[in-house]
Amino acid sequence: MGGVTGSTLVLTNRSQRTCYVYGYEGLGFLDSTGRPLPTHLTRQAEAHKDVTLRPGASAYAGLQWHWYDLMGRTPVVHPSQVEVTPPDEYSHLTEHWPFGGVTGGTVYTTPLSATPPYGPVPTGSGTITYIFNGKCMDAPDDSFANGAKVQLSTCDGATSQRWAAYTDGTLRIYGNGMCLDVAGGSTRLGAKVDIWTCNGSRSQQWAITQVSGNKYGPIIGVASNNALADPGHSNVDGTQLEMGPNRGDGTYQPWHVSFHHYERI
């Protein structure tokens, strides 16, 4: 065998009530038409316990697999989709499988836990655009220094306009790792937004609120409950973003996060 890779499975409670999970998820690979593919889920023998999931909370499992067989003796399965079944459930979630081949369809999983087993990991990457002018969120300082402003710019495919969401609630410049940050950790309205070395602070945690029925929604700062804002709905490149009021109705300061994923039941 060879080519070991992995990812983190994230199960999020989207209901309005607290629930609990214990143990291991079920997992099955599908082709593009939804037909089952060979799947062998191997549960790693690790200690596990009940995970309490309040509304919006997540449980995590670490997945690992071989993406090729060095000797060429084991066929590689090429899934298009994956079915995930929470513990003690019969209904499953069907998601796109973006990771390519899986040797023998064999995946190793850790038990579900309240924290990511491998630390924060990306869940997707792409652009973040503003509904009123179609401009991209951008960190244009090529040095990506602490305190560099985050601004609106015409979308041009630059690396500074590509962001990744992580399982710890951060939004980071893809391939660079700097976090979207509220300057000085401020919780006031009008606080400026910049990039900073990721440090685990709440001023670097964000909630993406767009839903499957509407591809736009506010991006909320966890520390302040204020919304990421384009001041005055400016159309000028270079306008620094700041924190505006969160009206709670999903209509103010709406953004489109191109890489945001939704569970499909």
Side-chain angles (χ1 to χ4, degrees), residues 93-238:
L93 311 171
T94 303
E95 284 290 335
H96 171 63
W97 177 262
F99 303 112
V102 180
T103 301
T106 299
V107 178
Y108 300 87
T109 181
T110 64
L112 288 160
S113 65
T115 57
Y118 308 134
V121 295
T123 59
S125 66
T127 57
I128 300 175
T129 53
Y130 191 54
I131 184 174
F132 292 112
N133 53 33
K135 293 184 181 291
C136 280
M137 187 168 79
D138 184 25
D141 185 342
D142 290 339
S143 68
F144 297 124
N146 281 338
K149 73 176 184 179
V150 174
Q151 65 181 33
L152 285 179
S153 297
T154 299
C155 299
D156 59 9
T159 301
S160 59
Q161 295 178 356
R162 188 176 180 187
W163 298 82
Y166 276 70
T167 53
D168 60 354
T170 56
L171 289 168
R172 309 185 188 193
I173 299 176
Y174 183 79
N176 172 276
M178 299 290 282
C179 273
L180 183 68
D181 175 77
V182 181
S186 175
T187 58
R188 66 176 179 83
L189 290 172
K192 301 299 183 182
V193 176
D194 58 15
I195 59 171
W196 202 270
T197 301
C198 299
N199 55 30
S201 66
R202 286 171 60 81
S203 63
Q204 296 181 349
Q205 295 177 343
W206 305 87
I208 301 169
T209 66
Q210 69 189 47
V211 296
S212 56
N214 180 3
K215 65 179 182 178
Y216 294 96
I219 298 175
I220 306 300
V222 171
S224 64
N225 199 39
N226 294 329
L228 182 67
D230 168 16
H233 303 308
S234 173
N235 197 41
V236 179
D237 281 4

